[in-house]
């Protein structure tokens, strides 16, 4: 008897997938209409500059195409070498010359990072919700603005929804904003994409409607027998074997007249079964340290242990059917878009289990389960390297304990966090930094670590002092972001940082901070990003050479009169709880020319690592307005970027004395970018970052050895920021 067509969303989707072309590729949507010549306003010349501030939103131009070939011959007879520019105008070009589009792109745009913003809809959500992303191209190099995940030990913080390996685009990961494109290459920074992603409008997680599908009653032995079977893969080429899903775990309501033998209907049934509110919700941050549900194998936890693994085996059955080799890539992508987010977190756990865990033996009780963890040896090496890079105060004894426990096979029983870290059962998102640090703390035999037992990803803006030797701070805390130039950043932690007299010998500190003052990025800002940061400026028939200038920061005049004096914390009585770590306000006191300057880390600002450019330095179009200041002058600037922005009054007296001031703000241009030259020792960059936190200004941080000044300013325009910090890598930093 032929199976009747199943109506509804799932059957319609699966029918479309079954008839999809086998190439596994999506058809490209038609290109958007570009603005015509009549749509774009006339391009201003220098002598036409108005007195009012200019807008960062610029008309769209055709996408620039990279020139190829060295020493390309141009139509006006000039030959432009592909060597970096050492002056402007370049050799053989008059300052009164007007360049064509092709000539301008060859001289000005070659090797410039081109930032493009994206606004993407959220599946299952209304148009009020969207994801914001960026992609960047054009700099002719393999290096980007993100850190190498292997070096930073952040591989387990992210998970690609489909496929394995590094995602190609930030919207391909489960966690959002994507941590595969999250940590910047410089310590304490994030990427441009992560910055933009912070302003996505993501829908709240909603409870799924309970379809009323109840799985069969099975014992623990049946669950682990199937988990062991699935290590060899799914029997997706045999309908009878696939149908055993209903004999093992589910009930087929149509088994008499229309049994669910097709993979399409089994996927639907598994999704509906896992939609029950009785299962663990792994999309809830409180449940994302998954091993807490199975760490205890005693009789009192047997019911929860059983429920966890029943949910796991059903999720694994679903994951293997979705990623069956019988489906094209196109089909898998379209199918995953229809999976509710709550179910996708179940699939993430199933992926981690499939990749890293094997069943060696099992029985009817939790005590009889024997698991093998494929990632354990790698994680032991990672924890050892992490402790060494953090200069852990009790390093020798801790590594001896780690070695002994590893030899005895006693690493996982240390704690639920250690079990998650060594097993690899780590969900993507913010938990991993706390899993690795808590594993190190739990293995350390020093009793002082008992005071550090309450670190949790539910309070990410935190750090701690250990043995009065060093302090350690999360990458998400403002203290970590500011002190990072003097430290290592690895696995989501910044350290070892200087100690403080305001914390106990071994004590956790939670840091209070406010939302940054400049913290708004609209979808329109993101979509128009490429126009606002175009190196050529607005579209034009010709591009006058005099409209551009070549910026060369003064790297010879190094400021060496700035030092960090002390790190201060003030306890907050109004936020203290009866139990748990204390809350503090943080500040840093600097010595500048032997004068003490305190800066409060009031605002939780972000620092965006600038994209590297190639063939620089590059010229800057005159409409990108900026002001350059040495880092020791920055403390005299108040309320930058606001109409009330002003320089410090000469009557103002800093802590420890006075310092003459000079006017530093040119007018009230709210779009003007402040370029802080923080070359020299790493304390200079810390001062610039602390000043940003003091006033609530996020900033682009650019290493001039990789990113020229003009490209850094344009990236600030792309990100709608008004501060750029220029630095130069020093070999002795973060030793």
């Amino acid at each position: 008897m032929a199976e009747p067509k199943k109506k509804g969303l799932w059957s319609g989707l699966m029918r479309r997938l079954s008839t999809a072309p086998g190439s596994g590729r999506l058809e490209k949507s038609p290109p958007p209409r570009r603005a015509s010549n009549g749509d774009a306003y006339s391009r201003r010349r220098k002598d036409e500059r108005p007195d009012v501030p200019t807008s960062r939103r610029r008309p769209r131009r055709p996408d620039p195409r990279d020139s190829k070939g060295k020493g390309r011959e141009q139509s006006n007879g000039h030959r432009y070498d592909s060597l970096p520019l050492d002056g402007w105008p370049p050799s053989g070009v008059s300052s009164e010359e007007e360049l064509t589009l092709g000539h301008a792109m060859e001289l000005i745009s070659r090797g410039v990072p081109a930032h493009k913003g994206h606004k993407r809809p959220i599946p299952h959500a209304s148009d009020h919700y969207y994801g914001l992303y960026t992609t960047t191209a054009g700099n002719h190099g393999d290096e980007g603005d993100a850190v190498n995940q292997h070096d930073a030990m952040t591989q387990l913080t992210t998970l690609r929804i489909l496929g394995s390996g590094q995602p190609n685009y930030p919207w391909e990961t489960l966690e959002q904003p994507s941590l595969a494109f999250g940590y910047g290459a410089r310590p304490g920074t994030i990427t441009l994409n992560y910055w933009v992603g912070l302003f996505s409008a993501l829908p709240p997680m909603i409870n799924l409607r309970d379809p009323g599908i109840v799985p069969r009653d099975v014992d623990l032995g049946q669950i682990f027998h199937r988990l062991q079977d699935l290590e060899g893969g799914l029997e997706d080429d045999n309908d009878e074997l696939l149908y055993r899903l209903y004999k093992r775990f589910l009930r087929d309501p149509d088994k008499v007249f229309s049994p669910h033998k097709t993979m399409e209907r089994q996927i639907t049934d598994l999704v509906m079964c896992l939609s029950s509110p009785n299962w663990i919700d792994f999309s809830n941050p409180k449940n994302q340290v998954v091993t807490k549900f199975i760490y205890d194998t005693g009789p009192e936890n047997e019911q929860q242990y059983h429920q966890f693994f029943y949910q796991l085996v059903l999720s694994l059955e679903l994951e293997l059917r979705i990623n069956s080799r019988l489906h094209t890539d196109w089909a898998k992508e379209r199918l995953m878009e229809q999976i509710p987010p709550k179910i996708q977190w179940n699939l993430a756990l199933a992926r981690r289990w499939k990749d890293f865990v094997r069943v060696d033996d099992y029985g009817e009780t939790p005590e009889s389960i024997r698991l093998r963890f494929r990632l354990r040896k790698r994680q032991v090496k990672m924890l050892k390297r992490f402790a060494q890079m953090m200069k852990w105060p009790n390093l020798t004894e801790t590594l001896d304990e780690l070695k002994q426990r590893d030899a005895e096979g006693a690493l996982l029983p240390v704690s639920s966090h250690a079990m998650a870290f060594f097993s690899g059962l780590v969900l993507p998102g913010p938990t991993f930094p706390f899993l690795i640090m808590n594993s190190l703390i739990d293995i350390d035999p020093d009793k002082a670590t008992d005071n550090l037992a309450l670190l949790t990803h539910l309070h990410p803006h935190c750090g701690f002092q250990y043995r009065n030797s060093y302090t350690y701070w999360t990458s998400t805390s403002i203290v970590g972001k500011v002190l990072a130039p003097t430290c290592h950043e690895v696995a989501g932690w910044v350290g070892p940082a200087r100690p403080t007299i305001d914390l106990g010998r071994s004590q956790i500190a939670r840091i209070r901070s406010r939302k940054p003052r400049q913290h708004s990025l609209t979808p329109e800002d993101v979509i128009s990003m490429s126009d606002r940061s175009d190196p050529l400026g607005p579209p034009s028939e010709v591009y006058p050479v005099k409209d551009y200038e070549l910026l060369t920061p003064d790297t010879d005049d190094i400021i060496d009169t700035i030092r960090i004096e002390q790190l201060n914390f003030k306890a907050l009585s109004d936020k203290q709880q009866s139990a748990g770590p204390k809350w503090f306000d943080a500040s840093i006191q600097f010595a500048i020319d032997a004068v003490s300057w305190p800066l409060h880390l009031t605002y939780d600002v972000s620092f965006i690592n600038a994209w590297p450019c190639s063939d620089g330095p590059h010229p800057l179009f005159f409409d990108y307005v900026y002001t350059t200041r040495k880092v020791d002058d920055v403390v005299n600037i108040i309320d930058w970027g606001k109409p009330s922005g002003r320089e410090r009054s000469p009557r103002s007296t800093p802590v420890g004395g006075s310092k003459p001031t000079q006017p530093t703000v040119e007018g009230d241009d709210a779009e003007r970018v402040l370029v802080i030259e923080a070359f020299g020792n790493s304390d200079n960059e810390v001062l610039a970052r602390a000043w940003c936190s003091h006033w609530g200004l996020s900033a682009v941080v650019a290493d001039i050895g990789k990113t020229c000044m003009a490209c850094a300013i344009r990236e600030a325009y792309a990100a709608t920021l008004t501060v750029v910090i220029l630095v130069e890598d020093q070999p002795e930093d973060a030793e």
Side-chain angles (χ1 to χ4, degrees), residues 24-79:
R25 298 177 180 270
L26 296 176
E27 290 186 6
K28 293 183 179 180
S29 57
R33 185 183 75 87
R34 299 192 181 279
S36 65
N37 292 336
D39 295 330
Y41 60 77
S42 300
R43 187 168 181 271
R44 290 196 309 274
R45 306 290 177 82
K46 274 192 173 181
D47 53 1
E48 297 171 349
R49 182 189 296 196
D51 295 331
V52 297
T54 57
S55 172
R56 293 193 179 192
R57 294 189 176 87
R58 307 177 189 278
R60 185 182 302 274
R61 71 166 65 258
D63 291 338
R65 298 175 181 266
D66 295 329
S67 305
K68 295 184 179 180
K70 185 176 181 180
R72 190 171 184 177
E73 193 74 32
Q74 305 298 341
S75 58
N76 65 354
H78 293 305
R79 184 179 179 86

Side-chain angles (χ1 to χ4, degrees), residues 451-630:
N451 298 324
L452 309 177
L454 295 178
L455 290 172
T456 170
H457 68 284
L458 300 177
H459 293 283
H461 302 286
C462 66
F464 62 92
Q465 181 163 258
Y466 182 33
R467 285 187 165 190
N468 279 341
S469 298
Y470 297 112
T471 56
Y472 301 92
W473 305 96
T474 60
S475 298
T476 54
S477 71
I478 187 57
V479 181
K481 295 175 188 178
V482 171
L483 291 178
T486 63
C487 308
H488 291 294
E489 182 184 26
V490 62
W493 285 91
V494 171
R498 62 180 56 240
T500 174
I501 61 174
D502 294 329
L503 296 179
R505 184 173 183 270
S506 298
Q507 181 182 356
I508 295 175
R510 291 177 179 169
I511 305 302
R512 180 176 72 170
S513 55
R514 301 178 186 174
K515 183 179 178 180
R517 204 183 74 205
Q518 288 184 345
H519 199 72
S520 62
L521 195 68
T522 66
E524 291 73 23
D525 291 331
V526 174
I527 294 171
S528 63
M529 176 181 296
S530 58
D531 303 320
R532 293 197 324 277
S533 58
D534 195 312
L536 297 184
S540 178
E541 293 182 359
V542 293
Y543 298 86
V545 171
K546 65 181 181 181
D547 280 3
Y548 304 88
E549 62 174 329
L550 193 65
L551 308 184
T552 53
D554 184 4
T555 57
D556 296 328
D557 184 12
I558 301 298
I559 304 299
D560 196 29
T561 57
I562 297 172
R563 294 294 183 271
I564 300 174
E565 285 190 324
Q566 59 188 22
L567 186 60
N568 300 321
F569 296 92
K570 180 181 178 182
L572 303 174
S573 57
D574 57 327
K575 285 184 69 71
Q576 302 305 345
Q577 302 171 350
S578 56
K582 293 183 178 180
W583 288 84
F584 296 86
D585 280 338
S587 62
I588 301 179
Q589 186 165 305
F590 295 87
I592 307 176
D593 287 335
V595 177
S596 293
W597 290 78
L599 289 173
H600 296 277
L601 307 186
T602 305
Y603 295 93
D604 183 28
V605 296
S606 297
F607 302 103
I608 294 88
N609 183 50
W611 265 86
C613 63
S614 53
D615 302 326
H618 299 97
L620 185 70
F621 181 59
F622 79 88
D623 210 15
Y624 294 104
V625 290
Y626 68 95
T627 294
T628 304
R629 287 291 176 266
K630 296 291 185 182

